[in-house]
Amino acid sequence: MVPFAGYSMPVQYSNLSVGESHKWTREKASVFDVGHMVQHHLLGPSAPTLLELITPTAISALAPNHSTLACLLHPLTGGIVDDTVVTRLPSPPSSPSFYLVTNAACRAKDLAYLSSQIASLGPSAHLTHTVLASQGLIALQGPLSASILSSILPSDSPSLQTLYFGQCASLPLQLASGALSPPCLVSRGGYTGEDGFEISIPPEHTESITENLLRKNPETLRLAGLGARDSLRLEAGMCLYGHDLDDSTTPVEAGLAWIVPTARRASGGFHGAETILPQLKLKKDGGTGVARRRVGLVIEGAPAREGAEIVSDDGEALGKVTSGCPSPSLGTNIAMGYVRSGWHKAGTEVGVLVRGKRRAARVVRMPFVETRYVRPGGGTAPG
């Protein structure tokens, strides 16, 4: 157990090593306790206005029971306050309702930010912001996740076969006693690159639902901790705030330009648009471009950790590693970091200084391991 964001969190469980837990998740399924994440509810006519101000997301185009990755942004600079998943919940048009999940390590900063941004809308704004302080949250991840979750769904539940990546549904789940819970928000997605579900659960039922999942699936499901979660997300090319993202980094620098849809590129109106929109175009096309970019790296020899310097053949500093580890799936050392623009193309040969020794490295496309999200069109498809 280790302290993390005010919680005591497991790095691993006694029945599997970190590497074994990682491979178990890739081959079968694991359940992660992610109740330390901060869950929010935004309700009211001014909620879309707020979200389209503080994120570059096209909230008006987000359908009920659909989610999208977004970034909370600083005014002017477009720096990332935090990354978040935004879900539009079913609600009357007169009172839009949204569910957000933000990072535990950013709790104090995010709450202060949201409070100030809500206040900036003025006294005429109609908006209620609630932090779901005691709500449970578990992540069921792995290729067998759907069959495992089905084991605690009532027989008359809608089929998970038509619930796709980025969609959610409110479903009752079977408790250890055999009784059914109140509806839980079941969102298809996660932080590992595998098929899976994140399940928001009333606090009094979190433990019972988790126990029932484990009890009914003893050959295919295991608990997993922070160690496997980190190596899985890195293989999937996913960022960890405070390491790969921070207040000084824009979505374009972070390789997240795709979170700014065409409609918002045309309309602007979000925090940092005056910085981000010019970054989307290269200088030769009339924009500003960016001076650095997030990249994936495959590294020979010893693994590179956060802070390791990325250099050219002649020792010129190009950037730094922000996350790195040995990849249990690939059997090689992987990392992500930021390099000077021009050195970011896949196949570029660079070096990484590991304990003072230069290690050969190559820029590669991410994800390192193909994602297996379930999308419309059939089956589990690479992302």
Side-chain angles (χ1 to χ4, degrees), residues 22 31 34 37 62 98 103 143 145 155 181 215 235 266 271 286-288 291 309 329 335 353 357 361 363 366:
H22 177 113
V31 61
V34 289
M37 303 289 282
L62 190 63
F98 298 89
N103 285 295
S145 292
S155 58
S181 73
R215 182 179 64 84
E235 286 186 348
H271 283 338
T288 63
E309 194 168 17
S329 300
L353 300 182
K357 183 176 180 179
V363 176
M366 293 184 285

Side-chain angles (χ1 to χ4, degrees), residues 27-250:
E27 295 167 4
K28 298 179 181 180
S30 297
V31 61
F32 301 81
D33 179 0
V34 289
H36 61 295
M37 303 289 282
V38 187
Q39 301 177 71
H40 309 254
H41 184 217
L42 289 171
L43 176 67
S46 299
T49 302
L50 173 72
L51 290 171
E52 291 207 332
L53 175 67
I54 64 177
T55 80
T57 303
I59 293 298
S60 59
L62 190 63
N65 283 330
H66 284 68
S67 305
T68 185
L69 178 70
C71 289
L72 307 179
L73 300 172
H74 285 291
L76 300 177
T77 66
I80 299 171
V81 178
D82 199 2
D83 57 323
T84 182
V85 174
V86 179
T87 302
R88 183 188 282 267
L89 302 174
S91 59
S94 60
S95 189
S97 178
F98 298 89
Y99 168 75
L100 283 72
V101 180
T102 57
N103 285 295
C106 297
R107 178 187 296 265
K109 180 179 73 167
D110 288 348
L111 294 180
Y113 171 85
L114 289 169
S115 179
S116 69
Q117 294 302 313
I118 291 169
S120 76
L121 298 180
S124 62
H126 296 284
L127 172 64
T128 301
H129 172 219
T130 305
V131 176
L132 307 176
S134 300
Q135 190 84 347
L137 187 65
I138 61 173
L140 174 61
Q141 298 285 292
L144 303 184
S145 292
S147 63
I148 289 170
L149 181 56
S150 295
S151 72
I152 64 165
L153 288 174
S155 58
D156 58 352
S157 279
S159 171
L160 296 177
Q161 291 182 354
T162 54
L163 184 69
Y164 300 115
F165 177 77
Q167 298 180 358
C168 65
S170 291
L171 303 172
L173 302 175
Q174 187 184 65
L175 305 172
S177 66
L180 293 179
S181 73
C184 300
L185 186 65
V186 177
S187 304
R188 198 156 201 165
Y191 196 47
T192 65
E194 294 292 335
D195 182 27
F197 304 86
E198 293 195 343
I199 308 170
S200 180
I201 308 172
E204 65 273 21
H205 298 307
T206 307
E207 188 174 337
S208 181
I209 286 172
T210 305
E211 287 178 350
N212 204 25
L213 282 168
L214 291 163
R215 182 179 64 84
K216 288 200 165 194
N217 301 278
E219 302 302 319
T220 53
L221 184 64
R222 293 286 186 274
L223 288 163
L226 291 178
R229 184 169 164 83
D230 191 53
S231 56
L232 288 160
R233 69 92 190 169
L234 183 52
E235 286 186 348
M238 295 185 179
C239 298
L240 176 61
Y241 193 88
H243 301 262
D244 313 302
L245 304 174
D246 60 27
D247 295 289
S248 67
T249 303
T250 70

Side-chain angles (χ1 to χ4, degrees), residues 18-19 21-27 191-194 227-239 244 294 296-298 323-336 364-373:
V18 171
S21 182
H22 177 113
K23 291 179 179 179
W24 185 282
T25 308
R26 290 271 182 251
E27 295 167 4
Y191 196 47
T192 65
E194 294 292 335
R229 184 169 164 83
D230 191 53
S231 56
L232 288 160
R233 69 92 190 169
L234 183 52
E235 286 186 348
M238 295 185 179
C239 298
D244 313 302
R294 181 172 65 94
L297 298 166
V298 171
S323 290
C325 72
S327 164
S329 300
L330 301 175
T332 190
N333 297 314
I334 61 173
M336 67 171 72
V364 298
R365 297 183 186 277
M366 293 184 285
F368 297 95
V369 174
E370 275 193 333
T371 54
R372 296 195 283 183
Y373 304 130

